[in-house]
Amino acid sequence: MSSISASHPVLIAGAGLGGLCLAQALKKHSIPFKIFERDFKQDFRAQGFRLRISEDGITALQYALSPEIWNLFEKTSAEILGLGHLGRLDALTAEPLPAGGPPPGARGGLQPFTVDRTTMREVLLTKLEDETQFGKYVTHFESNETGVTVHFADGTSESGALLVGADGVKSTVRKQLLPDYPFLDSGSRIIYGKTPLTHQVEAELSDNLLGGMCLLKEDEANGVPKTMLLEAMRFPKASSTIEHINLPTDYIYWVLLVRRDDLSIPDAELLSLSNEQSSDLALSLTEKWHPSIKPAVIHQDRSQTATLRVHSVDPAIPDWQASTNVTLIGDSIHAMPPTGGMGVNTALRDASDLARRLVDAHHCEKSLDGLVAEYEQNLRLFARKPLATSWMAGSKAFGLQPVEQCERLSF
């Protein structure tokens, strides 16, 4: 396998957070790379809401980012509210439930950051304009002894020393590389939502929902059992423009989780709901909730609501035969339930670990032979723990069914 060079760069499929973290680390260490993103422009679609960046993610970003971009990341983070506890309320009465443990993502020795995903993506795209191409959907790749060639839907192709699939759960890179990889359907469905934190909303909402992360529960005795996790997102510097980034206005991030079997809507229809239809479903499911809680859903931004499947790879993460010049990071290889708050941190950790190995090989003028296998073995050893923790947290707080009962998915 050839070494990385300007004519044989690292090829990154996907401009999500993991792919961009890898790109920033390569740029910081003067290693040639190119990014190919399937979306036609940076803001082509909504990029999600609140994320918690904890110890593994922080360590990865500190390695990957230049001091200038790390400073930008810090400045654009949200205010930390009540991170040390997880409030729990009965959704019908607004009465406290027995206290839970620390919220997802709260563990670790470093103070976590709370970020808006779209904002963080803007930060990680900073100064990568020359290396990023949008509207480039990977259809397939071809490997040979000198590297890899990637082919795109527009008929073009690019060649490089290494292809990194950072293209998410439905990764076309993984689909070709590991066609039988075990993705699972957890049996749960989630509705993501965002509610602008206006003066009206603050006045109508229970104070318990404004001081940090809160879990709302409606048990089976009252119909469809459901759980909502929500958290206020406040940006102290939102009134000022931070370089090229406009911070969002304050909002409440929420996610409503329901078991698939408790919904009367067929799965094919449920997973194709529009933003407006997802909004209506959330309103219907929370119709009987307490008046001090319902405003979080009533005043939602209807253009931002989405219904998704909770899926995951098998927490055991089986071994596979490594390629010499194609590998994967993040959700493309170890998607996990969001219930542990660990998916993004594990993806960032992947990116920094792979970058360290590439930096060492490039600067020591070593071949990349064996690098992918070593990286992937380390990835499996690390990712099994956050996967198991995510399933355990999901089972305890949200009623995720056991892994053994989950259906196999084919992406």
Side-chain angles (χ1 to χ4, degrees), residues 366-383:
K366 297 190 299 186
S367 165
L368 300 185
D369 290 343
L371 183 149
V372 169
E374 292 173 3
Y375 157 73
E376 291 180 348
Q377 175 63 11
N378 190 262
L379 176 151
R380 287 188 289 268
L381 291 173
F382 182 88

Side-chain angles (χ1 to χ4, degrees), residues 117-133:
R117 191 187 188 283
T118 299
T119 301
M120 182 174 174
R121 186 166 181 258
E122 286 187 61
V123 169
L124 293 184
L125 275 164
T126 301
K127 296 191 175 180
L128 298 181
E129 296 86 357
D130 292 343
E131 295 90 356
T132 304
Q133 298 180 42

Side-chain angles (χ1 to χ4, degrees), residues 7 9-10 12 47 62 65 82 90 113-114 122 133 172 175 181-182 238 242 256 276 300 309 314 319 336 339:
S7 60
V10 175
I12 303 172
Q47 292 292 327
Q62 288 175 334
L65 303 184
D90 185 304
F113 288 87
T114 301
E122 286 187 61
Q133 298 180 42
T172 55
K175 196 176 298 184
Y181 196 65
I242 300 177
L256 180 65
E276 293 279 338
Q300 67 186 287
R309 173 195 283 120
D314 187 324
D319 291 344
M336 59 190 74
T339 47

Side-chain angles (χ1 to χ4, degrees), residues 78-399:
E79 183 181 352
I80 299 291
L81 298 171
L83 188 59
H85 72 280
L86 178 62
R88 295 164 59 90
L89 297 177
D90 185 304
L92 298 177
T93 66
E95 293 295 322
L97 293 168
R107 300 170 182 82
L110 295 175
Q111 176 70 39
F113 288 87
T114 301
V115 301
D116 177 85
R117 191 187 188 283
T118 299
T119 301
M120 182 174 174
R121 186 166 181 258
E122 286 187 61
V123 169
L124 293 184
L125 275 164
T126 301
K127 296 191 175 180
L128 298 181
E129 296 86 357
D130 292 343
E131 295 90 356
T132 304
Q133 298 180 42
F134 289 93
K136 305 293 283 188
Y137 179 79
V138 175
T139 58
H140 64 286
F141 62 83
E142 296 175 303
S143 297
N144 55 52
E145 63 277 3
T146 62
V148 59
T149 299
V150 184
H151 297 269
F152 303 100
D154 61 7
T156 62
S157 64
E158 292 275 353
S159 295
L162 176 71
L163 169 61
V164 182
D167 46 346
V169 171
K170 297 184 179 181
S171 167
T172 55
V173 177
R174 187 203 65 251
K175 196 176 298 184
Q176 179 178 344
L177 187 66
L178 302 171
D180 299 319
Y181 196 65
F183 267 81
L184 304 175
D185 183 343
S186 73
S188 292
R189 303 294 177 259
I190 49 178
I191 306 174
Y192 278 108
K194 177 179 180 179
T195 303
L197 198 51
T198 63
H199 292 304
Q200 179 185 1
V201 170
E202 290 203 59
E204 293 179 6
L205 274 180
S206 166
D207 290 342
N208 290 321
L209 305 185
L210 298 171
M213 195 182 296
C214 191
L215 195 69
L216 306 174
K217 301 279 288 186
E218 181 181 353
D219 62 31
E220 214 157 344
N222 297 298
V224 176
K226 57 190 79 80
T227 305
M228 177 182 281
L229 182 73
L230 55 76
E231 183 175 10
M233 292 283 288
R234 301 180 188 273
F235 299 88
K237 299 182 177 68
S239 59
S240 58
T241 301
I242 300 177
E243 297 185 24
H244 59 287
I245 294 174
N246 293 313
L247 287 171
T249 56
D250 296 347
Y251 64 86
I252 293 174
Y253 154 85
W254 53 265
V255 54
L256 180 65
L257 187 142
V258 186
R259 290 196 299 262
R260 176 189 59 188
D261 294 342
D262 290 325
L263 294 170
S264 59
I265 307 172
D267 221 29
E269 179 183 343
L270 181 68
L271 297 175
S272 61
L273 293 178
S274 66
N275 300 118
E276 293 279 338
Q277 291 168 328
S278 293
S279 177
D280 288 338
L281 178 59
L283 288 167
S284 173
L285 289 170
T286 59
E287 184 178 9
K288 297 179 181 179
W289 283 15
H290 194 271
S292 68
I293 292 174
K294 284 175 64 176
V297 182
I298 291 173
H299 299 294
Q300 67 186 287
D301 180 346
R302 290 174 61 84
S303 68
Q304 296 287 307
T305 314
T307 304
L308 302 170
R309 173 195 283 120
V310 178
H311 44 234
S312 173
V313 302
D314 187 324
I317 305 188
D319 291 344
W320 62 84
Q321 181 65 44
S323 162
T324 57
N325 45 30
V326 182
T327 191
L328 301 150
I329 65 174
D331 283 352
S332 66
I333 191 62
H334 54 57
M336 59 190 74
T339 47
M342 297 182 176
V344 64
N345 292 289
T346 310
L348 295 173
R349 186 262 174 201
D350 290 347
S352 68
D353 182 54
L354 179 57
R356 290 174 195 272
R357 297 170 190 274
L358 292 171
V359 168
D360 178 63
H362 184 66
H363 288 171
C364 295
E365 298 183 349
K366 297 190 299 186
S367 165
L368 300 185
D369 290 343
L371 183 149
V372 169
E374 292 173 3
Y375 157 73
E376 291 180 348
Q377 175 63 11
N378 190 262
L379 176 151
R380 287 188 289 268
L381 291 173
F382 182 88
R384 284 170 183 147
K385 183 176 180 180
L387 266 162
T389 301
S390 295
W391 275 95
M392 183 171 61
S395 175
K396 183 176 180 180
F398 298 94

